[in-house]
Amino acid sequence: MNPVNVKNTDPDFKDIVAEKIGLELIKPCYTCGSCTGICPVREVVDDFDPRRMIHMIILGMRKEILSSDLIWFCCLCNSCYYVCPQGIRFSRIAQELQKMAVDEGYVKEDFLKGMKGVDDHLQDLCRRTMFQKVKQGFRGTHKMPCWQKMTKEK
């Protein structure tokens, strides 16, 4: 990440995002990396890093995050939520960032049309990646319904 020029940041951005997603604060994130470690998108898109995106929000990097293509790659599987010790649901944050990007004019209509074709691929990728992790023996304190079904002791 490049150095952050505080003159170009929005110190209220974290509070705006937190309010929109119904969290009191986003600040409970202490960047442990659980979200990034479990993320199926991260498996194939090295730059996709939920922890870094939350950090950008906290720093007030509004323009950088809302203009980033990466906010559109979240497949909304909620894997991050099920392993986050602070109960932060990055998928909800990603959805709100997407809405804000559209509302504030960072995204063109043709980009949104192009993303529709990618969404099905992302959903399939997430399902396959998560079930592969289960097959490889991933276990945890998660409460993800599909994982519970696949990982029950017999």
Side-chain angles (χ1 to χ4, degrees):
M1 187 185 301
N2 294 328
V4 178
N5 183 345
V6 289
K7 292 179 184 176
N8 298 333
T9 62
D10 178 353
D12 298 323
F13 187 53
K14 64 183 172 300
D15 299 321
I16 293 166
V17 174
E19 182 180 321
K20 288 180 181 270
I21 63 173
L23 271 181
E24 186 177 318
L25 296 169
I26 291 179
K27 289 187 270 185
C29 175
Y30 51 83
T31 64
C32 68
S34 295
C35 54
T36 300
I38 197 66
C39 180
V41 175
R42 174 65 180 217
E43 300 266 332
V44 294
V45 181
D46 289 337
D47 289 342
F48 189 81
D49 187 341
R51 171 180 50 184
R52 184 172 64 179
M53 288 187 262
I54 290 173
H55 191 71
M56 290 172 74
I57 292 168
I58 292 169
L59 290 173
M61 298 174 69
R62 182 184 204 126
K63 180 181 179 190
E64 292 83 356
I65 193 77
L66 294 181
S67 62
S68 173
D69 292 350
L70 295 174
I71 63 173
W72 299 92
F73 292 161
C74 178
C75 64
L76 310 177
C77 68
N78 287 317
S79 300
C80 52
Y81 173 69
Y82 295 107
V83 298
C84 178
Q86 298 296 81
I88 296 172
R89 189 180 304 247
F90 181 77
S91 62
R92 181 68 185 95
I93 294 170
Q95 286 178 311
E96 193 54 49
L97 292 174
Q98 292 169 3
K99 285 182 203 170
M100 291 175 78
V102 170
D103 293 346
E104 295 180 25
Y106 287 95
V107 177
K108 304 285 185 232
E109 191 66 34
D110 57 335
F111 177 81
L112 293 176
K113 288 178 186 173
M115 283 305 293
K116 287 181 183 179
V118 175
D119 190 53
D120 289 339
H121 178 70
L122 280 173
Q123 296 303 316
D124 184 53
L125 164 76
C126 288
R127 278 190 295 275
R128 286 186 290 124
T129 304
M130 296 316 299
F131 285 113
Q132 185 63 32
K133 287 181 185 230
V134 169
K135 284 169 102 178
Q136 292 170 350
F138 179 81
R139 302 288 188 272
T141 58
H142 49 73
K143 303 202 176 14
M144 191 173 194
C146 63
W147 286 7
Q148 287 180 335
K149 180 179 176 183
M150 295 293 291
T151 60
K152 280 188 179 174
E153 298 295 326
K154 296 185 180 185

